[in-house]
Amino acid sequence: MTLHNTHLRAQDAVSRLDTFIALSDFDRPTLVVDLDRVEQQYRALDAGLGRAQIHYAVKANPAEEVIDRLVTLGSHFDAASKGEISLCLSRGAKAHQISFGNTIKKPSDIAWAWDRGITLFAADAEEELEKIAENAPGAQVYIRLIVEVSEADWPLTRKFGCDATKALELLDYARDLCLEPVGFSFHVGSQTRRAEMWIPALDALAQTWKAAQDAGHDLSVLNIGGGFPAFYGEEVDAPEAYAAKVMELVTERFGDVRHIMAEPGRGMVAEAGTIVAECMLVSRKSERDLHRWVYLDIGRFSGLAETEGEAIRYQLETARDHEATGPCILAGPSCDSADVLYEKRPVQLPVGLKSGDRVLIRNTGAYTSTYSSVGFNGFPPLDVVCI
Ligand SMILES: *Cc1c(COP(=O)(O)O)cnc(C)c1O
């Protein structure tokens, strides 16, 4: 399959953003999102996914302008809470375009969603099915399967889903509860860089699919979740080619499923955003210290939560990038010692970097604004500007 030229793409992506950023002053860390870039990404994923319906995972970036653009484009939405459903409805999405995809829901929220016309719910446990049956009688449910084998950079394996045996029991149980069990969902793990990395998970899931059919269930919905990657420095496939390859792998294993849902989050919005941050301090702990410490005005608690375990490595840019560079430990501004972004693998930053310098953090449109605390230590939460 074709690999895309990540460099070219990164430059294309930033030009509109960069013009805006260069002409603006920011008094706090700010995520700037290019909505045209979101649209470009939607169109590419949609083309690659073919007959699968996109349900954008709202949690990746719930900015109203992002939702508006996606509503205009005809996207459907994967919502995890009453708040997200209400956001989508208020921006013009129709109830039939919204699935309640969290496997952990409050009974009152299920009832609220059902009242507003949401008919599709996720579950991975008996008690959840009971809640749905009671508060959304007759609703459609899909059972989330656990993915044991993930090659993702940000795996979601343990918390969600159930194993195959349990999933089959839950289909039966849903039927007993007079719900309509329509199929299965899974999530291959976020930031699964290559489409081929889906193979082990799809192989395992296809067996469960077949077992359910053999047990007499007429399955009509396969929800393949998210996992579509963004460029963080390591090569990834272009979105259309990636999505097309995933669909090819899905079709080989699942045949002609009536409805396929895909829930890209990161892959839809990450590359559309750049965070404008500022260097607050450059220091060494002692004369002998090998590495400089660089403190930014944004950290683990103000939007960069995915640096946890140094899992996601954001690309940094400064106006001094033509200068010589040296290794730095990168940290946030708060008084929590966990607020260190990259230490095991230091980052290369210009030797002349100093307090007051602007630092751009690339491809940060996903999972940043929503991870920002309201004001830990008095630092303002990440601001969002959509252009
Ligand atoms: C978070 C989430 C997604 C989006 O995942 P990405 O890896 O960002 O594409 C999709 N589906 C569900 C159920 C999720 O919880």
Side-chain angles (χ1 to χ4, degrees):
M1 66 191 290
T2 51
L3 287 173
H4 76 147
N5 184 330
T6 40
H7 259 1
L8 244 188
R9 187 154 155 246
Q11 273 165 21
D12 282 352
V14 297
S15 56
R16 202 166 158 260
L17 281 178
D18 280 0
T19 310
F20 177 83
I21 290 169
L23 296 172
S24 310
D25 282 326
F26 301 92
D27 60 358
R28 56 156 122 170
T30 303
L31 168 65
V32 185
V33 178
D34 179 351
L35 297 169
D36 289 349
R37 190 74 181 77
V38 174
E39 173 163 348
Q40 193 185 325
Q41 209 67 8
Y42 177 88
R43 291 186 187 284
L45 287 169
D46 192 43
L49 285 166
R51 65 197 192 84
Q53 174 64 55
I54 291 179
H55 285 238
Y56 169 62
V58 175
K59 73 178 186 293
N61 189 326
E64 289 180 352
E65 297 90 335
V66 170
I67 306 297
D68 288 350
R69 183 63 68 99
L70 291 171
V71 167
T72 307
L73 291 165
S75 183
H76 291 199
F77 298 89
D78 168 53
S81 62
K82 181 177 169 181
E84 286 185 354
I85 293 172
S86 164
L87 167 70
C88 293
L89 291 171
S90 75
R91 307 316 297 179
K94 299 280 174 277
H96 77 269
Q97 296 175 302
I98 304 169
S99 46
F100 203 161
N102 197 338
T103 51
I104 306 151
K105 297 176 284 301
K106 287 197 172 175
S108 56
D109 291 352
I110 297 170
W112 178 89
W114 181 247
D115 269 356
R116 269 147 200 84
I118 312 292
T119 56
L120 186 57
F121 298 80
D124 64 3
E126 290 85 349
E127 197 174 45
E128 193 68 21
L129 287 175
E130 289 159 9
K131 283 190 265 174
I132 299 171
E134 171 122 12
N135 295 284
Q140 295 189 323
V141 290
Y142 55 82
I143 305 300
R144 178 144 171 191
L145 288 161
I146 203 162
V147 171
E148 306 276 0
V149 276
S150 177
E151 299 187 37
D153 288 351
W154 189 262
L156 309 160
T157 43
R158 291 299 310 159
K159 184 170 170 187
F160 304 103
C162 59
D163 76 7
T165 311
K166 173 83 165 225
L168 296 173
E169 287 166 13
L170 290 179
L171 286 181
D172 291 339
Y173 191 45
R175 200 167 45 193
D176 295 346
L177 292 168
C178 298
L179 293 166
E180 189 186 343
V182 289
F184 290 119
S185 75
F186 64 91
H187 194 302
V188 74
S190 204
Q191 187 66 5
T192 294
R193 272 180 285 108
R194 308 295 305 272
E196 286 77 10
M197 292 174 167
W198 286 58
I199 292 174
L202 291 175
D203 282 344
L205 299 162
Q207 287 184 15
T208 313
W209 185 267
K210 171 130 201 333
Q213 285 178 324
D214 291 347
H217 288 284
D218 175 29
L219 303 181
S220 58
V221 173
L222 174 65
N223 179 345
I224 66 172
F228 302 82
F231 177 66
Y232 296 121
E234 277 189 87
E235 195 153 37
V236 293
D237 302 322
E240 183 173 345
Y242 183 101
K245 180 69 188 175
V246 167
M247 282 305 283
E248 186 187 316
L249 298 171
V250 166
T251 305
E252 273 167 26
R253 286 162 183 77
F254 295 85
D256 241 355
V257 185
R258 260 170 282 157
H259 302 290
I260 300 180
M261 298 163 58
E263 304 175 326
R266 185 189 305 281
M268 187 78 81
V269 289
E271 293 182 17
T274 288
I275 288 173
V276 186
E278 188 179 306
C279 173
M280 291 176 75
L281 177 70
V282 182
S283 68
R284 281 180 204 272
K285 304 287 171 194
S286 77
E287 291 299 312
R288 287 165 292 116
D289 213 356
L290 278 179
H291 298 335
R292 287 169 296 159
W293 281 72
V294 170
Y295 301 89
L296 301 178
D297 61 351
I298 182 171
R300 182 70 56 80
F301 305 106
S302 37
L304 304 181
E306 289 200 312
T307 56
E308 170 76 38
E310 307 195 12
I312 299 291
R313 295 193 65 90
Y314 297 115
Q315 305 233 286
L316 307 171
E317 239 176 79
T318 75
R320 301 179 192 276
D321 285 349
H322 56 282
E323 294 176 12
T325 63
C328 299
I329 297 169
L330 194 68
S334 70
C335 302
D336 188 312
S337 56
D339 193 6
V340 175
L341 308 176
Y342 302 121
E343 182 170 20
K344 280 186 248 122
R345 278 172 61 203
V347 293
Q348 290 288 329
L349 285 170
V351 290
L353 188 73
K354 60 180 191 338
S355 164
D357 284 356
R358 195 174 254 195
V359 177
L360 301 185
I361 313 174
R362 292 301 190 190
N363 299 345
T364 39
Y367 303 120
T368 50
S369 55
T370 37
Y371 273 144
S372 173
S373 68
V374 169
F376 178 44
N377 252 187
F379 290 102
L382 184 58
D383 198 12
V384 182
V385 175
C386 294
I387 60 169

